[in-house]
Amino acid sequence: MASQTNLSIFFTFLVIFNSLFLPPLSSSATLISLCSPNAIYNLGDSISDTGNLIRETTSPAASVFAHLPYGISFFRNQPTGRCSNGLLMIDYFALSLRLPLLNPYLEKDSDFSHGVNFAVAGSTALDSSFLAENNINSPVTNSSLSIQLDWLKSHLNSTCYTECEEKLTRSIFLVGEIGGNDYNYAFFQGKTMEELQQSLVPHVVQSIKTTVTEVIKLGATRVVVPGNFPIGCFPIYLTAFQTNDTTAYDEFKCLKGLNNFAMFHNDQLQQALQQLRNQYPNVDIVYADYYNAFKWVFDKAPLLGFDMASLQKACCGSGGGQYNFDLRNICGAPEVTVCPIPETHISWDGIHLTEKAYKSMVNWLIRDLTTKLKCLF
């Protein structure tokens, strides 16, 4: 749990940071609203897992995320199952709402009075059985979005009782980021972008849409649904799909084709969310633009203190070269090294971001969400 002193420091930093690098809010908007939520319920994957994956098995220590260097920059140098060197975006969202950090659902006997984190690293929007029918293996976990939704329902049924409706109307639900792993597994198992646009994206988007509908039926009145990142900027993809064709890269030296694919998913998702807004006009259904938040961090990297020579290099990696990433020898393996100052890197392990990159993204996202989600920040 963050201390009151740490929270005060965080808010002071946030206000100063935003005044320096972001456009001013309108006079009617405030960073923290008096009617902020009293709980967060989160579903997702490794972008927001605070410890569920490492608790899924009887041998949590078997996961690299349960060992250093994961968690090296926070929690007194103790790994928590977070796929970063420290805090994640879900942590900074909680702090910005003056709520405790979310405990993972599988950490039994935890304090869930201010919400629960159901996200599992490696999870998919689609069930593993569906992916298998389409010749896509889901190798990390079977705790897909539908499983997490079942966990949410079970939790509410067992804890909410008669005050459930009032509690949920004062809560915020995050559905995602999810779906990224469906695409990750497919791409690295030989599927093409054209195949996925036609055969997978519609199903992923429908799964997210169905889940949002279900949480609304449970009583949610404020739902935030993040989109996908510009995956063409990530070391794992830059390494696997690098080419000598200079026209394949954009001004940030990211792969344009993969970023276009991410935008295609995001466009389809936003269309689905608009359909839900039309269906549920009294519910705030907000798209969280992870794509442009990430691109903003890239664009403002020098001002934010990131090393321009390391924007696309993994801090924790063994590949050397341009991206410092090797899928056969990833972060957490015995001889993989960590950069001296993780705060200078955007990418932590080639797949996930550093604590500082996540914090920077949340600063952008808070300003964006403030204008869209009533009574939040």
Side-chain angles (χ1 to χ4, degrees):
M1 300 291 181
S3 68
Q4 291 297 318
T5 300
N6 286 340
L7 284 176
S8 298
I9 294 172
F10 173 78
F11 288 123
T12 301
F13 167 82
L14 197 59
V15 171
I16 294 172
F17 179 95
N18 285 340
S19 67
L20 288 174
F21 298 122
L22 293 173
L25 287 169
S26 64
S27 58
S28 62
T30 57
L31 187 61
I32 303 296
S33 170
L34 293 176
C35 49
S36 293
N38 60 7
I40 301 173
Y41 296 95
N42 180 72
L43 302 94
D45 57 22
S46 60
I47 304 304
S48 58
D49 182 1
T50 55
N52 282 315
L53 179 66
I54 66 172
R55 290 175 172 85
E56 274 198 332
T57 68
T58 56
S59 302
S63 172
V64 295
F65 306 131
H67 299 279
L68 294 174
Y70 288 91
I72 196 171
S73 301
F74 201 74
F75 303 107
R76 297 181 180 177
N77 212 33
Q78 291 294 318
T80 60
R82 287 168 170 81
C83 302
S84 181
N85 61 308
L87 293 175
L88 307 176
M89 282 193 286
I90 186 64
D91 297 313
Y92 288 113
F93 280 131
L95 289 173
S96 68
L97 294 169
R98 297 181 180 173
L99 294 174
L101 303 184
L102 289 186
N103 290 317
Y105 173 69
L106 296 180
E107 185 178 42
K108 301 307 179 184
D109 301 321
S110 292
D111 180 4
F112 295 139
S113 58
H114 294 285
V116 189
N117 193 348
F118 301 96
V120 182
S123 64
T124 52
L126 300 169
D127 291 344
S128 56
S129 57
F130 180 93
L131 293 171
E133 290 171 4
N134 289 270
N135 298 313
I136 301 169
N137 179 39
S138 178
V140 179
T141 178
N142 290 324
S143 298
S144 62
L145 188 56
S146 66
I147 299 296
Q148 295 177 33
L149 179 62
D150 287 342
W151 289 350
L152 170 62
K153 292 178 179 178
S154 176
H155 171 77
L156 295 178
N157 287 336
S158 63
T159 62
C160 220
Y161 306 117
T162 56
E163 76 279 6
C164 194
E165 182 176 354
E166 180 183 354
K167 182 179 179 67
L168 296 185
T169 57
R170 297 187 60 204
S171 301
I172 181 170
F173 289 76
L174 279 90
V175 180
E177 183 274 334
I178 194 74
N181 285 323
D182 301 65
Y183 305 139
N184 294 340
Y185 300 148
F187 277 127
F188 284 89
Q189 292 170 36
K191 303 293 184 181
T192 66
M193 280 185 267
E194 291 75 16
E195 284 182 276
L196 299 189
Q197 286 179 343
Q198 295 176 14
S199 65
L200 202 63
V201 172
H203 294 288
V204 167
V205 170
Q206 183 59 49
S207 176
I208 298 170
K209 182 181 179 183
T210 298
T211 303
V212 173
T213 301
E214 288 296 310
V215 300
I216 291 172
K217 290 179 179 178
L218 289 172
T221 60
R222 286 174 287 183
V223 186
V224 176
V225 185
N228 203 352
F229 291 79
I231 58 176
C233 298
F234 282 53
I236 182 174
Y237 278 104
L238 288 164
T239 300
F241 298 101
Q242 59 185 309
T243 174
N244 292 326
D245 180 7
T246 57
T247 64
Y249 297 88
D250 65 14
E251 70 276 18
F252 295 109
K253 299 181 180 179
C254 302
L255 287 163
K256 290 190 289 189
L258 286 163
N259 283 355
N260 288 338
F261 175 83
M263 286 192 287
F264 178 82
H265 163 88
N266 291 342
D267 288 342
Q268 298 299 307
L269 177 60
Q270 290 180 77
Q271 290 178 36
L273 296 182
Q274 185 56 52
Q275 292 169 3
L276 287 174
R277 293 187 194 103
N278 295 337
Q279 187 176 352
Y280 299 100
N282 296 322
V283 178
D284 287 332
I285 304 169
V286 177
Y287 174 72
D289 194 349
Y290 282 15
Y291 187 100
N292 280 311
F294 182 93
K295 293 298 285 283
W296 177 82
V297 173
F298 249 53
D299 185 48
K300 301 297 183 183
L303 293 174
L304 296 170
F306 293 106
D307 177 16
M308 291 299 292
S310 303
L311 289 188
Q312 294 167 325
K313 286 187 176 181
C315 169
C316 181
S318 61
Q322 196 169 0
Y323 307 114
N324 193 36
F325 181 81
D326 185 346
L327 193 57
R328 298 162 299 181
N329 203 24
I330 61 175
C331 183
E335 297 182 0
V336 174
T337 59
V338 180
C339 64
I341 309 175
E343 291 78 13
T344 61
H345 282 61
I346 290 176
S347 177
W348 165 242
D349 59 6
I351 305 169
H352 310 97
L353 306 187
T354 59
E355 177 184 77
K356 182 176 178 180
Y358 283 138
K359 177 190 284 189
S360 300
M361 283 186 63
V362 167
N363 276 283
W364 188 96
L365 287 161
I366 285 175
R367 286 298 177 109
D368 188 53
L369 292 173
T370 297
T371 61
K372 299 174 182 176
L373 194 56
K374 303 184 187 79
C375 220
L376 178 56
F377 295 105

